[in-house]
Amino acid sequence: MNILFVASECAPFVKTGGLADVIGSIPKALEALGHTVKVLLPAYPAFKQWIKHGEVELELEDLFGGSARVHSVRAKGLNLLLLEAEHLYDRGGSIYLDEEGCDWEDNPIRFGALSLLGAKIGLDGVGGWKPQIVSAHDWQAGLVPVYLRQSGRKAPPVVMTIHNIAFQGLFDGEIRETLGLTEGLYNPDGFEFWGHVGYLKGGIALSDKITTVSPTYATELLTPEYGMGLEGLLRSRQADLVGILNGIDLDTWNPETDPALVKPYSPRSLNRRVANREFLENHFGIEPNEEAPMFCVISRLTTQKGLDLLLESIPTIVKRGARLIVLGSGDRDMEDRYLAMARRFPGSVGVQIGYDEDLSHKMQGGSDAILMPSRFEPCGLSQLFGLRYGTIPVVARTGGLADTVIDANAAALISKCATGIQFTPVTVEALDRAIHRTCDLFKDTKSWKTMMRRAMAQEVGWNSSAELYANLFESLIKKKATRTD
Ligand code: ADP
Ligand code: GLC
């Protein structure tokens, strides 16, 4: 099968969150199953060095105000199609935000252009290669199904994947003229959403199937609490909505070979983790304490992640003699409040504001537990890294967290299947109780180590999920081939 992915970020090249991890890893798993995958991405500055080694496959004189080219490059085990358009993607700041931290004003055009090219390559192919299926990710690729539909041509089936419905790409209705979107689809059954152009909305309405990144999130999305205004549309398309759990790249995230770790380790040499923990104690200025766990957080600092609640639970952590180290960035106010906690509890709480891939690996390799008190979590990858590294996930029971962590309740402990701690509802009180439970479990060193080994043995790679995607894609290709319209 020839598969075209369209997305706005991809690890290890450009990453703001889990979307990049997924786009950087699932193509490899699909290739291992014998398929050919190409990933269309904007050629941000990070791709400049790679473009030099690629070939120009497509040239456009005018893509919304400037020329553009598509380069085909093989990099880090991936087939990339890089959309180079200086006026849209060649700039400083982050990929979505300007130097002041505001969304780039022309984001609707930047990602409209990405979607347009996704549809064009879907219809005509590139460099002699033609996709049989198009896989579009999040609102940035939401207009791919829209452009495919408005072409009126025989198009390959398109699957829209929702990684986070909180980000919908809603823009002023006038943008449709600039983007050349047809009036015929500007209605509630198409890409119109309460007088706006809805990128994700259009993608959901006009794709052949919709996937999201965990089975529990797929059911949560149908409710007003989690659907964020799109629950009605999703309910009407419920038969076409599937939840497929994310996997992680088992080569990049391997505690036995990870070059970022001070000391790599295996389930048989867990004592080697001590060196990683000592590194973290030095780095964050934390006092050692063998009796209580070291918790970590590696996250965007936002209310989605429930990290405002954790601020209130820090005194509980400290009272138990446990420690907390935090790596993250996001809401300015929350960043300040975390820094204030580090000042209030020196030796117990350490905070680093910013993004640091290398440190995130070290934290997974040296902490005892990873905290994720998310209010909603479509899948979550940090708990999967945690399982793989024996860093016990302490998570809210929602979305992918509910699907990937087995709570250490009495029954699970007796039947020896627990891999972490879950709590619900997402409140400070429940989080406090989860922290107490974790500290209690930690005291029983032998069973804690057994739980670590069990966590490390969990299947967190792409094997079974890649097969589910491949089966879904294949069934759509077959269905479309037998249809007469
Ligand atoms: P989301 O995509 O909602 O942010 P995920 O758990 O799916 O949440 O993925 C987050 C990804 O970003 C993980 O790979 C995590 O390690 C990484 N990450 C988040 N914050 C940081 C940070 N400050 N430094 C390094 N990596 C981070
Ligand atoms: C989103 C979600 C996160 C998920 C990631 C990758 O960023 O917030 O839960 O793991 O996408 O699918």
Side-chain angles (χ1 to χ4, degrees):
M1 220 178 349
N2 285 350
I3 308 164
L4 174 67
F5 273 64
V6 185
S8 56
E9 47 184 281
C10 177
F13 310 101
V14 269
K15 168 165 162 179
T16 72
L19 171 65
D21 292 304
V22 170
I23 302 300
S25 54
I26 188 181
K28 293 180 199 163
L30 287 165
E31 294 216 339
L33 294 176
H35 307 294
T36 304
V37 184
K38 299 200 182 213
V39 187
L40 176 68
L41 293 155
Y44 307 111
F47 285 116
K48 274 211 175 123
Q49 47 156 327
W50 295 101
I51 280 181
K52 281 188 249 153
H53 309 291
E55 293 202 10
V56 176
E57 301 281 14
L58 188 68
E59 289 192 76
L60 296 125
E61 250 172 52
D62 182 30
L63 180 66
F64 305 128
S67 64
R69 291 148 297 283
V70 174
H71 302 258
S72 146
V73 179
R74 177 89 187 161
K76 307 245 179 193
L78 298 165
N79 298 313
L80 306 180
L81 295 170
L82 300 173
L83 174 57
E84 186 187 29
E86 284 87 352
H87 60 299
L88 299 176
Y89 310 122
D90 190 9
R91 50 180 82 166
S94 93
I95 56 176
Y96 307 126
L97 309 174
D98 63 20
E99 280 86 353
E100 258 106 67
C102 301
D103 288 340
W104 290 108
E105 219 171 284
D106 58 350
N107 274 352
I109 299 173
R110 298 172 73 222
F111 298 110
L114 175 70
S115 296
L116 178 65
L117 261 292
K120 186 172 169 46
I121 295 171
L123 290 165
D124 300 327
V126 69
W129 180 83
K130 268 200 104 167
Q132 295 163 282
I133 184 109
V134 182
S135 167
H137 295 261
D138 269 356
W139 75 264
Q140 293 88 347
L143 292 185
V144 174
V146 178
Y147 281 119
L148 284 173
R149 181 70 64 91
Q150 80 170 37
S151 75
R153 292 171 52 190
K154 193 166 179 289
V158 55
V159 176
M160 185 77 232
T161 298
I162 304 168
H163 293 263
N164 190 338
I165 207 151
F167 304 106
Q168 299 186 359
L170 276 182
F171 301 106
D172 203 284
E174 282 163 24
I175 193 75
R176 65 190 189 277
E177 218 169 286
T178 315
L179 293 177
L181 293 168
T182 172
E183 286 303 299
L185 294 172
Y186 189 61
N187 56 48
D189 293 329
F191 62 85
E192 188 256 357
F193 191 62
W194 302 105
H196 286 73
V197 171
Y199 283 45
L200 186 61
K201 196 274 164 141
I204 293 172
L206 300 173
S207 53
D208 294 271
K209 278 265 180 203
I210 305 136
T211 67
T212 189
V213 288
S214 70
T216 293
Y217 194 55
T219 55
E220 288 173 343
L221 279 175
L222 305 174
T223 66
E225 193 187 344
Y226 293 94
M228 304 204 177
L230 291 174
E231 63 278 6
L233 171 64
L234 284 165
R235 273 202 302 272
S236 75
R237 296 222 52 199
Q238 196 172 349
D240 292 318
L241 173 66
V242 194
I244 302 177
L245 210 53
N246 285 334
I248 61 169
D249 187 327
L250 297 179
D251 296 328
T252 310
W253 293 94
N254 182 351
E256 297 189 34
T257 56
D258 191 336
L261 299 185
V262 178
K263 266 203 184 161
Y265 58 92
S266 76
R268 289 165 308 286
S269 58
L270 290 178
N271 50 348
R272 287 169 64 86
R273 282 179 117 253
V274 173
N276 300 322
R277 201 181 59 229
E278 283 170 358
F279 170 88
L280 296 172
E281 285 165 350
N282 279 329
H283 184 85
F284 283 96
I286 294 293
E287 296 295 330
N289 180 5
E290 301 271 302
E291 305 294 309
M294 178 191 272
F295 290 97
C296 76
V297 168
I298 305 158
S299 182
R300 293 186 284 122
L301 301 181
T302 65
T303 49
Q304 174 197 335
K305 302 290 178 182
L307 293 172
D308 47 327
L309 304 176
L310 178 59
L311 279 165
E312 297 190 41
S313 289
I314 288 178
T316 307
I317 293 178
V318 176
K319 249 182 252 151
R320 290 293 307 240
R323 285 84 41 81
L324 172 69
I325 54 174
V326 178
L327 169 64
S329 62
D331 294 349
R332 289 282 143 82
D333 176 55
M334 217 186 279
E335 291 179 355
D336 291 343
R337 290 174 68 195
Y338 270 99
L339 288 170
M341 282 294 177
R343 286 193 298 270
R344 184 170 150 200
F345 298 112
S348 297
V349 178
V351 174
Q352 180 168 322
I353 301 300
Y355 192 93
D356 189 333
E357 192 73 27
D358 182 81
L359 183 60
S360 78
H361 283 245
K362 289 186 164 70
M363 290 168 75
Q364 293 279 10
S367 310
D368 299 302
I370 181 157
L371 276 163
M372 297 179 76
S374 308
R375 287 196 170 80
F376 67 96
E377 194 62 77
C379 179
L381 295 179
S382 295
Q383 85 281 11
L384 300 181
F385 303 144
L387 290 169
R388 176 103 167 122
Y389 280 61
T391 307
I392 298 299
V394 180
V395 303
R397 186 172 299 144
T398 183
L401 301 175
D403 293 339
T404 53
V405 175
I406 302 169
D407 180 55
N409 56 35
L413 286 171
I414 291 166
S415 51
K416 297 189 172 41
C417 60
T419 57
I421 286 92
Q422 287 191 343
F423 65 93
T424 190
V426 188
T427 58
V428 176
E429 295 70 35
L431 175 56
D432 276 346
R433 279 196 296 278
I435 290 166
H436 282 300
R437 280 175 64 207
T438 310
C439 293
D440 293 343
L441 285 165
F442 186 79
K443 278 189 177 294
D444 182 346
T445 312
K446 197 161 162 251
S447 56
W448 181 268
K449 281 207 168 142
T450 309
M451 181 153 73
M452 286 172 78
R453 290 199 185 91
R454 198 178 302 124
M456 293 173 85
Q458 295 299 297
E459 282 288 341
V460 288
W462 273 109
N463 273 356
S464 49
S465 293
E467 241 172 76
L468 291 174
Y469 273 105
N471 292 345
L472 179 79
F473 293 163
E474 262 158 11
S475 71
L476 288 175
I477 294 170
K478 272 196 203 123
K479 195 164 141 203
K480 212 153 195 172
T482 53
R483 240 171 35 201
T484 46
D485 57 331

PDB file of all heavy atoms in Angstrom, residues 18-19 22 163-164 213 246 300 304-305 377-381, ligand 2:
ATOM      1  N   GLY A  18       3.184  15.326  21.442  1.00  0.00           N
ATOM      2  CA  GLY A  18       3.087  13.929  21.069  1.00  0.00           C
ATOM      3  C   GLY A  18       2.780  13.675  19.604  1.00  0.00           C
ATOM      4  O   GLY A  18       3.129  12.617  19.065  1.00  0.00           O
ATOM      5  N   LEU A  19       2.118  14.632  18.949  1.00  0.00           N
ATOM      6  CA  LEU A  19       1.847  14.473  17.516  1.00  0.00           C
ATOM      7  C   LEU A  19       3.142  14.169  16.768  1.00  0.00           C
ATOM      8  O   LEU A  19       3.195  13.275  15.909  1.00  0.00           O
ATOM      9  CB  LEU A  19       1.185  15.753  16.970  1.00  0.00           C
ATOM     10  CG  LEU A  19       1.034  15.844  15.452  1.00  0.00           C
ATOM     11  CD1 LEU A  19       0.091  14.777  14.912  1.00  0.00           C
ATOM     12  CD2 LEU A  19       0.524  17.235  15.036  1.00  0.00           C
ATOM     13  N   VAL A  22       4.328  10.633  17.191  1.00  0.00           N
ATOM     14  CA  VAL A  22       3.524   9.673  16.424  1.00  0.00           C
ATOM     15  C   VAL A  22       3.921   9.718  14.945  1.00  0.00           C
ATOM     16  O   VAL A  22       4.176   8.680  14.320  1.00  0.00           O
ATOM     17  CB  VAL A  22       2.010   9.986  16.597  1.00  0.00           C
ATOM     18  CG1 VAL A  22       1.166   9.162  15.636  1.00  0.00           C
ATOM     19  CG2 VAL A  22       1.590   9.714  18.038  1.00  0.00           C
ATOM     20  N   HIS A 163      -5.892  14.114  17.188  1.00  0.00           N
ATOM     21  CA  HIS A 163      -4.969  13.924  18.315  1.00  0.00           C
ATOM     22  C   HIS A 163      -5.424  14.732  19.523  1.00  0.00           C
ATOM     23  O   HIS A 163      -5.085  14.393  20.651  1.00  0.00           O
ATOM     24  CB  HIS A 163      -3.544  14.327  17.923  1.00  0.00           C
ATOM     25  CG  HIS A 163      -2.946  13.420  16.889  1.00  0.00           C
ATOM     26  ND1 HIS A 163      -2.118  12.383  17.218  1.00  0.00           N
ATOM     27  CD2 HIS A 163      -3.101  13.376  15.546  1.00  0.00           C
ATOM     28  CE1 HIS A 163      -1.754  11.742  16.110  1.00  0.00           C
ATOM     29  NE2 HIS A 163      -2.348  12.328  15.075  1.00  0.00           N
ATOM     30  N   ASN A 164      -6.121  15.833  19.267  1.00  0.00           N
ATOM     31  CA  ASN A 164      -6.580  16.662  20.389  1.00  0.00           C
ATOM     32  C   ASN A 164      -7.669  17.599  19.879  1.00  0.00           C
ATOM     33  O   ASN A 164      -7.388  18.520  19.129  1.00  0.00           O
ATOM     34  CB  ASN A 164      -5.399  17.470  20.935  1.00  0.00           C
ATOM     35  CG  ASN A 164      -5.746  18.154  22.239  1.00  0.00           C
ATOM     36  OD1 ASN A 164      -6.918  18.378  22.545  1.00  0.00           O
ATOM     37  ND2 ASN A 164      -4.732  18.483  23.021  1.00  0.00           N
ATOM     38  N   VAL A 213      -6.800   8.674  19.053  1.00  0.00           N
ATOM     39  CA  VAL A 213      -5.586   7.996  19.483  1.00  0.00           C
ATOM     40  C   VAL A 213      -5.738   7.063  20.700  1.00  0.00           C
ATOM     41  O   VAL A 213      -4.738   6.585  21.212  1.00  0.00           O
ATOM     42  CB  VAL A 213      -4.455   9.027  19.678  1.00  0.00           C
ATOM     43  CG1 VAL A 213      -3.990   9.531  18.325  1.00  0.00           C
ATOM     44  CG2 VAL A 213      -4.898  10.196  20.555  1.00  0.00           C
ATOM     45  N   ASN A 246      -1.979   4.908  20.402  1.00  0.00           N
ATOM     46  CA  ASN A 246      -0.634   5.227  19.913  1.00  0.00           C
ATOM     47  C   ASN A 246       0.385   4.233  20.442  1.00  0.00           C
ATOM     48  O   ASN A 246       0.224   3.667  21.530  1.00  0.00           O
ATOM     49  CB  ASN A 246      -0.185   6.600  20.414  1.00  0.00           C
ATOM     50  CG  ASN A 246      -0.861   7.743  19.684  1.00  0.00           C
ATOM     51  OD1 ASN A 246      -1.289   7.594  18.541  1.00  0.00           O
ATOM     52  ND2 ASN A 246      -0.940   8.889  20.334  1.00  0.00           N
ATOM     53  N   ARG A 300       3.707  19.897  28.787  1.00  0.00           N
ATOM     54  CA  ARG A 300       3.232  21.261  28.585  1.00  0.00           C
ATOM     55  C   ARG A 300       2.567  21.671  29.903  1.00  0.00           C
ATOM     56  O   ARG A 300       1.838  20.878  30.502  1.00  0.00           O
ATOM     57  CB  ARG A 300       2.199  21.293  27.459  1.00  0.00           C
ATOM     58  CG  ARG A 300       2.781  20.973  26.103  1.00  0.00           C
ATOM     59  CD  ARG A 300       1.766  21.156  24.987  1.00  0.00           C
ATOM     60  NE  ARG A 300       0.797  20.072  24.935  1.00  0.00           N
ATOM     61  CZ  ARG A 300      -0.519  20.222  25.035  1.00  0.00           C
ATOM     62  NH1 ARG A 300      -1.035  21.431  25.208  1.00  0.00           N
ATOM     63  NH2 ARG A 300      -1.339  19.194  24.958  1.00  0.00           N
ATOM     64  N   GLN A 304      -5.133  21.556  30.646  1.00  0.00           N
ATOM     65  CA  GLN A 304      -5.462  20.220  30.088  1.00  0.00           C
ATOM     66  C   GLN A 304      -4.739  19.152  30.898  1.00  0.00           C
ATOM     67  O   GLN A 304      -5.298  18.102  31.223  1.00  0.00           O
ATOM     68  CB  GLN A 304      -5.029  20.082  28.615  1.00  0.00           C
ATOM     69  CG  GLN A 304      -5.240  18.636  28.089  1.00  0.00           C
ATOM     70  CD  GLN A 304      -4.479  18.276  26.809  1.00  0.00           C
ATOM     71  OE1 GLN A 304      -4.137  19.145  26.014  1.00  0.00           O
ATOM     72  NE2 GLN A 304      -4.224  16.996  26.599  1.00  0.00           N
ATOM     73  N   LYS A 305      -3.495  19.440  31.237  1.00  0.00           N
ATOM     74  CA  LYS A 305      -2.656  18.445  31.894  1.00  0.00           C
ATOM     75  C   LYS A 305      -2.909  18.384  33.402  1.00  0.00           C
ATOM     76  O   LYS A 305      -2.238  17.643  34.121  1.00  0.00           O
ATOM     77  CB  LYS A 305      -1.181  18.753  31.614  1.00  0.00           C
ATOM     78  CG  LYS A 305      -0.840  18.792  30.115  1.00  0.00           C
ATOM     79  CD  LYS A 305      -0.913  17.410  29.490  1.00  0.00           C
ATOM     80  CE  LYS A 305      -0.616  17.442  28.001  1.00  0.00           C
ATOM     81  NZ  LYS A 305      -0.731  16.119  27.372  1.00  0.00           N
ATOM     82  N   GLU A 377      -6.961  13.477  28.164  1.00  0.00           N
ATOM     83  CA  GLU A 377      -5.695  13.044  27.550  1.00  0.00           C
ATOM     84  C   GLU A 377      -5.998  12.074  26.418  1.00  0.00           C
ATOM     85  O   GLU A 377      -6.211  10.883  26.647  1.00  0.00           O
ATOM     86  CB  GLU A 377      -4.808  12.364  28.614  1.00  0.00           C
ATOM     87  CG  GLU A 377      -3.370  12.192  28.191  1.00  0.00           C
ATOM     88  CD  GLU A 377      -2.679  13.526  27.923  1.00  0.00           C
ATOM     89  OE1 GLU A 377      -2.310  14.224  28.893  1.00  0.00           O
ATOM     90  OE2 GLU A 377      -2.530  13.877  26.736  1.00  0.00           O
ATOM     91  N   PRO A 378      -6.057  12.590  25.184  1.00  0.00           N
ATOM     92  CA  PRO A 378      -6.419  11.729  24.051  1.00  0.00           C
ATOM     93  C   PRO A 378      -5.657  10.408  24.046  1.00  0.00           C
ATOM     94  O   PRO A 378      -6.260   9.341  23.904  1.00  0.00           O
ATOM     95  CB  PRO A 378      -6.071  12.610  22.848  1.00  0.00           C
ATOM     96  CG  PRO A 378      -6.304  14.026  23.367  1.00  0.00           C
ATOM     97  CD  PRO A 378      -5.878  13.999  24.796  1.00  0.00           C
ATOM     98  N   CYS A 379      -4.341  10.458  24.167  1.00  0.00           N
ATOM     99  CA  CYS A 379      -3.588   9.214  24.392  1.00  0.00           C
ATOM    100  C   CYS A 379      -2.597   9.424  25.524  1.00  0.00           C
ATOM    101  O   CYS A 379      -2.676   8.827  26.564  1.00  0.00           O
ATOM    102  CB  CYS A 379      -2.855   8.743  23.126  1.00  0.00           C
ATOM    103  SG  CYS A 379      -1.914   7.241  23.459  1.00  0.00           S
ATOM    104  N   GLY A 380      -1.655  10.353  25.280  1.00  0.00           N
ATOM    105  CA  GLY A 380      -0.572  10.543  26.231  1.00  0.00           C
ATOM    106  C   GLY A 380       0.565   9.619  25.849  1.00  0.00           C
ATOM    107  O   GLY A 380       0.347   8.422  25.605  1.00  0.00           O
ATOM    108  N   LEU A 381       1.757  10.167  25.746  1.00  0.00           N
ATOM    109  CA  LEU A 381       2.915   9.330  25.430  1.00  0.00           C
ATOM    110  C   LEU A 381       3.839   9.204  26.623  1.00  0.00           C
ATOM    111  O   LEU A 381       4.527   8.200  26.790  1.00  0.00           O
ATOM    112  CB  LEU A 381       3.678   9.912  24.232  1.00  0.00           C
ATOM    113  CG  LEU A 381       2.880   9.912  22.929  1.00  0.00           C
ATOM    114  CD1 LEU A 381       3.686  10.531  21.810  1.00  0.00           C
ATOM    115  CD2 LEU A 381       2.464   8.503  22.544  1.00  0.00           C
TER     116      LEU A 381
HETATM  117  C1  GLC B   2      -2.112  15.199  21.476  1.00  0.00           C
HETATM  118  C2  GLC B   2      -2.714  14.722  22.784  1.00  0.00           C
HETATM  119  C3  GLC B   2      -1.933  13.594  23.419  1.00  0.00           C
HETATM  120  C4  GLC B   2      -1.544  12.548  22.386  1.00  0.00           C
HETATM  121  C5  GLC B   2      -0.792  13.210  21.245  1.00  0.00           C
HETATM  122  C6  GLC B   2      -0.376  12.223  20.161  1.00  0.00           C
HETATM  123  O1  GLC B   2      -1.136  16.138  21.655  1.00  0.00           O
HETATM  124  O2  GLC B   2      -2.857  15.788  23.715  1.00  0.00           O
HETATM  125  O3  GLC B   2      -2.716  12.984  24.433  1.00  0.00           O
HETATM  126  O4  GLC B   2      -0.712  11.570  22.985  1.00  0.00           O
HETATM  127  O5  GLC B   2      -1.628  14.154  20.634  1.00  0.00           O
HETATM  128  O6  GLC B   2      -1.474  11.543  19.607  1.00  0.00           O
END
